[in-house]
Amino acid sequence: MALTITDDCINCDVCEPECPNQAIYMGEHIYEIDPNKCTECVGHFDEPQCVALCPVACIPVHPNFIESRVQLFAKYERLAGNKVD
């Protein structure tokens, strides 16, 4: 699964520096998450850091990018350069 940031985002700047995959970036109005880079912190942490730190709870699972933990770990390995597809 990839996460997404809703319009409830207050641009507090907490999530972006905590993302180990650099999947979070400033969009036109609010922060956004690149689903191709988001592993929900699998391979790095036990829980998504952006979700744990978000003061307004505006980071749910993106309904169009549902992935299992196995798929997320494979994405983590690919992003880390540990595995070639």
Side-chain angles (χ1 to χ4, degrees), residues 2 21 23 33-39 65 67 75-76 78-79:
N21 296 322
I33 299 177
D34 180 344
N36 296 309
K37 292 183 177 180
C38 180
T39 64
F65 295 96
E67 298 167 288
K75 187 192 299 185
Y76 156 76
R78 188 180 74 250
L79 290 169

Side-chain angles (χ1 to χ4, degrees), residues 1-5 15-27 30-41 44 50 59 72 75 79:
M1 296 172 274
L3 301 171
T4 190
I5 298 175
C15 62
E16 189 266 339
E18 297 302 320
C19 181
N21 296 322
Q22 300 176 337
I24 300 174
Y25 60 95
M26 179 51 86
I30 60 172
Y31 280 95
E32 297 182 22
I33 299 177
D34 180 344
N36 296 309
K37 292 183 177 180
C38 180
T39 64
E40 291 190 32
C41 292
H44 295 281
C50 60
I59 308 175
L72 290 170
K75 187 192 299 185
L79 290 169

Side-chain angles (χ1 to χ4, degrees), residues 3-12 14-15 30 33 48-61:
L3 301 171
T4 190
I5 298 175
T6 69
D7 290 340
D8 294 331
C9 176
I10 59 172
N11 293 326
C12 68
V14 173
C15 62
I30 60 172
I33 299 177
Q49 296 300 286
C50 60
V51 173
L53 296 171
C54 182
V56 293
C58 68
I59 308 175
V61 171

